Amino acid sequence: MSTLSGDVSNHGGSIRNVDSFSSVAELEDIDFSRLPRPRHLNVERQGSLERSLTDTQLGFSPHPPSRAENFFRALDHFDGVFSPSKRSGFTTPRSPFGPGPNPMIAEAWEALRRTLVHFRGQPVGTIAALDNSDEKLNYDQVFVRDFVPSALAFLMNGEPEIVKNFILKTLRLQSWEKKIDRFQLGEGVMPASFKVLHDPVRNTETLIADFGESAIGRVAPVDSGFWWIILLRAYTKSTGDTSLSEMPECQKGMRLILSLCLSEGFDTFPTLLCADGCSMIDRRMGVYGYPIEIQALFFMALRCALLLLKHDAEGKEFIERIVKRLHALSYHMRNYFWLDLKQLNDIYRYKTEEYSHTAVNKFNIMPDSLPEWVFDFMPVCGGYFIGNVGPSNMDFRWFCLGNCIAILSSLATHEQATKIMDLIESRWHELVGEMPLKVCYPAIEGHEWRIVTGCDPKNTRWSYHNGGSWPVLLWLLTAACIKTGRPQIARRAIELAELRLSKDGWPEYYDGKLGRFIGKQARKYQTWSIAGYLVAKMMLEDPSHLGMIALEEDKQLKPVLKRSASF
């Protein structure tokens, strides 16, 4: 187990404003004025969002616009996103304006603040759950991926200090020597989690990090480094403070992460080869190879790093490597991971055992491997990025996080993002049900479950990672909906969650085809269920918050899609 006893939050004179080619003013990320308008906005479902976007707030004329116009005019007024004092209009327990109209929001804020972890008097993160059960496992630790929605909630509420502390503490942990069974991990690996140990006798506090040596399956987290870069960019975008990202330590931290994932080897694909259990799905679920979640996060982290890296000698080298990788990665993902009705029909008619550069079936996919469910699942209008692509392997399962990140990072083209939203609407019963949102669809069962999961008793059908419903995914769905101009989809999902989420004690996940039952091993008062709800609500109230977590499509990454002719 690796330990750290030094306090890294006090850098003294090393935190300063430095001129940079990638200053906040130059981050041309989202041009919200060009976001698509919804084709069928359900005016009856506008609710609290449009009521909060008043003429006074937005500086409109005395003639009131329609509710739909209010929402999209709000997207065009984003100057305040760079102000450190920008706060959500939601009333929180520390607000001077008294109790808000929605007691569930106040309850969520109170619960979120109870999860705060302090190190030497400073908040440095939030624990995974407030569950009071005897068997805590590692839910009392601060997880990098779990902290992201908590960080976004605090940033949206004008409380960036905890996010800054978290970024610096995990950065120092990154530099610690990491060994698992005498084998040393790469220098840039970020921890999966950490906890604070208090020694009342010596009156000392120590940070203890887990890089996978204590995890179930002993798998190092590939996604932690990507989330760290994404969060650093969110902090910079939200506060307008470039001094943190420009610190030599942060610049080095990014370069170490990039060195790991941009290294050249035997792989012939621009995607990142990964083991099972290296991401949110942290148990064996047959997602080894090139899982969509990691590829989408990889793409987004590369784009964020491109904005944050300084154009000095070391930074320029990585910038050149990032640009080349982004071109190859975007082409590969948009062509080979994308599935709609036309592509499905093309795969259905594939010939096999093709050789040379003229091959259409480049990965030698067997048409007989197409699962029966995918033919009924695929709507006429709609599509999605499938779970995995490799030699003779296509995982046709739908994975929520990867597809939402694909939209937010603009890995998905405008047309693809629209089709993902169409799919969610068309398959609402399957993907949302009674509690948003399926982590993947469909569940695997029977003999396939025994082979793929190793008879995992936690990942039984329609439970946990195997088709379970995770409320934390609300914030990702909401962000994707706002970016694609479909806020009514997010509002409908949030209304479903509000019927039970608080009443059920903010569970980690729900079981069943419709998400009707609280997960059989779900922890109550799961922090990212609480924070995900708050982030979703705050983004709907003030869509400008989307700017810290979304990127506009890069015009240079728009290759012509030719999959039907070359795949």
Side-chain angles (χ1 to χ4, degrees):
M1 191 73 73
S2 305
T3 61
L4 170 71
S5 58
D7 188 354
V8 302
S9 61
N10 182 13
H11 287 267
S14 65
I15 302 180
R16 56 190 177 88
N17 289 317
V18 181
D19 291 336
S20 171
F21 287 91
S22 55
S23 65
V24 172
E26 295 172 328
L27 302 187
E28 297 179 359
D29 303 327
I30 290 265
D31 180 1
F32 289 90
S33 64
R34 299 189 317 181
L35 283 174
R37 269 47 174 173
R39 293 168 297 170
H40 44 84
L41 190 64
N42 186 347
V43 178
E44 294 301 317
R45 287 190 172 273
Q46 300 309 298
S48 61
L49 169 63
E50 286 77 8
R51 287 197 295 272
S52 70
L53 302 178
T54 63
D55 294 347
T56 303
Q57 288 172 311
L58 300 176
F60 294 155
S61 65
H63 304 287
S66 70
R67 289 175 173 180
E69 287 173 341
N70 265 344
F71 177 82
F72 288 105
R73 287 186 185 181
L75 291 178
D76 296 334
H77 293 75
F78 277 39
D79 292 340
V81 74
F82 298 114
S83 171
S85 61
K86 180 74 174 176
R87 291 186 53 150
S88 168
F90 276 128
T91 304
T92 71
R94 63 192 295 272
S95 170
F97 302 110
N102 188 340
M104 187 170 168
I105 294 169
E107 177 194 334
W109 271 112
E110 181 182 356
L112 180 60
R113 295 192 188 285
R114 293 200 337 256
T115 68
L116 283 170
V117 173
H118 290 79
F119 179 68
R120 298 186 177 178
Q122 292 185 322
V124 294
T126 52
I127 60 173
L130 282 170
D131 197 307
N132 293 321
S133 61
D134 294 333
E135 189 185 10
K136 292 185 181 298
L137 294 176
N138 55 2
Y139 286 84
D140 62 344
Q141 298 185 25
V142 180
F143 281 82
V144 172
R145 75 173 67 98
D146 290 43
F147 180 68
V148 171
S150 296
L152 295 177
F154 286 118
L155 287 174
M156 291 177 185
N157 201 47
E159 302 176 66
E161 200 62 28
I162 179 178
V163 182
K164 183 177 182 179
N165 293 339
F166 172 86
I167 289 171
L168 292 173
K169 290 294 181 289
T170 48
L171 178 64
R172 180 61 64 89
L173 292 170
Q174 180 199 38
S175 65
W176 208 254
E177 185 178 90
K178 302 169 278 287
K179 284 187 177 181
I180 299 179
D181 292 337
R182 301 183 181 181
F183 182 74
Q184 188 162 320
L185 277 67
E187 190 180 0
V189 173
M190 280 287 182
S193 64
F194 67 85
K195 61 182 177 181
V196 179
L197 283 188
H198 303 269
D199 186 340
V201 177
R202 298 182 180 180
N203 194 26
T204 60
E205 291 182 336
T206 305
L207 288 180
I208 297 181
D210 176 17
F211 293 93
E213 68 268 37
S214 299
I216 294 175
R218 302 302 187 265
V219 178
V222 176
D223 61 338
S224 288
F226 297 151
W227 279 123
W228 187 87
I229 293 176
I230 293 166
L231 192 56
L232 178 62
R233 184 257 174 187
Y235 172 88
T236 305
K237 185 76 173 178
S238 173
T239 63
D241 174 19
T242 62
S243 64
L244 180 62
S245 64
E246 291 173 352
M247 286 175 53
E249 295 89 343
C250 282
Q251 291 288 312
K252 181 182 178 182
M254 280 190 286
R255 291 196 302 267
L256 287 173
I257 295 169
L258 295 170
S259 293
L260 279 177
C261 58
L262 293 175
S263 60
E264 297 174 347
F266 289 99
D267 210 329
T268 58
F269 309 141
T271 41
L272 205 60
L273 185 61
C274 302
D276 245 335
C278 66
S279 60
M280 175 185 175
I281 297 179
D282 59 3
R283 298 165 76 98
R284 180 177 167 188
M285 268 288 291
V287 296
Y288 56 87
Y290 308 91
I292 179 61
E293 176 183 334
I294 292 298
Q295 312 315 317
L297 286 171
F298 181 30
F299 183 88
M300 189 169 193
L302 289 179
R303 292 204 61 199
C304 289
L306 204 56
L307 298 169
L308 297 171
L309 284 170
K310 296 175 68 174
H311 287 230
D312 53 20
E314 292 178 297
K316 284 183 178 179
E317 177 191 348
F318 279 95
I319 288 170
E320 291 175 1
R321 294 171 65 185
I322 289 171
V323 170
K324 289 180 181 179
R325 189 63 167 263
L326 282 173
H327 278 284
L329 184 60
S330 61
Y331 180 86
H332 185 92
M333 296 297 297
R334 291 169 180 176
N335 283 275
Y336 303 137
F337 273 69
W338 179 252
L339 187 72
D340 55 20
L341 191 60
K342 181 182 182 307
Q343 309 297 356
L344 180 59
N345 196 72
D346 288 345
I347 298 169
Y348 178 71
R349 301 179 71 249
Y350 269 166
K351 295 179 181 179
T352 60
E353 307 301 328
E354 294 182 310
Y355 183 74
S356 85
H357 298 288
T358 61
V360 174
N361 185 359
K362 290 188 175 182
F363 295 97
N364 199 34
I365 304 301
M366 309 299 166
D368 287 345
S369 69
L370 281 163
E372 291 185 9
W373 64 265
V374 75
F375 294 99
D376 295 327
F377 180 71
M378 181 62 69
V380 175
C381 295
Y384 63 102
F385 289 98
I386 62 175
N388 221 319
V389 175
S392 297
N393 173 50
M394 272 190 166
D395 184 347
F396 291 93
R397 285 177 294 177
W398 147 273
F399 288 88
C400 179
L401 193 151
N403 276 272
C404 287
I405 292 293
I407 292 175
L408 296 178
S409 65
S410 289
L411 171 60
T413 65
H414 169 71
E415 180 184 1
Q416 289 172 337
T418 300
K419 286 190 174 185
I420 293 171
M421 287 293 113
D422 289 341
L423 176 84
I424 292 173
E425 283 196 301
S426 299
R427 297 293 175 255
W428 186 266
H429 183 77
E430 292 90 341
L431 300 180
V432 181
E434 295 184 16
M435 175 56 68
L437 191 65
K438 289 295 179 194
V439 66
C440 72
Y441 180 89
I444 52 179
E445 51 189 318
H447 181 66
E448 184 184 12
W449 167 78
R450 287 190 287 272
I451 296 297
V452 171
T453 73
C455 300
D456 188 348
K458 197 167 185 178
N459 273 329
T460 53
R461 62 179 183 174
W462 307 113
S463 178
Y464 202 48
H465 298 137
N466 189 12
S469 299
W470 292 69
V472 64
L473 297 172
L474 270 175
W475 80 264
L476 285 156
L477 174 67
T478 301
C481 288
I482 294 174
K483 187 166 187 262
T484 54
R486 312 273 274 272
Q488 73 279 8
I489 298 177
R491 188 174 303 106
R492 183 182 173 193
I494 291 173
E495 287 172 357
L496 273 177
E498 287 179 328
L499 294 175
R500 293 184 54 193
L501 199 52
S502 173
K503 187 189 308 181
D504 293 341
W506 307 93
E508 179 183 15
Y509 64 94
Y510 286 77
D511 285 353
K513 278 191 175 182
L514 300 178
R516 184 173 292 176
F517 309 101
I518 298 174
K520 59 188 175 187
Q521 295 188 44
R523 293 303 190 272
K524 296 290 188 74
Y525 292 95
Q526 187 79 13
T527 304
W528 68 357
S529 296
I530 297 166
Y533 167 74
L534 286 172
V535 171
K537 293 288 283 187
M538 285 190 280
M539 275 195 291
L540 271 185
E541 183 219 17
D542 183 357
S544 71
H545 290 315
L546 179 65
M548 72 175 72
I549 200 64
L551 297 161
E552 187 180 11
E553 187 168 13
D554 188 335
K555 297 180 180 62
Q556 295 180 343
L557 297 176
K558 287 187 175 180
V560 178
L561 299 183
K562 300 179 179 179
R563 179 172 186 257
S564 59
S566 62
F567 184 80

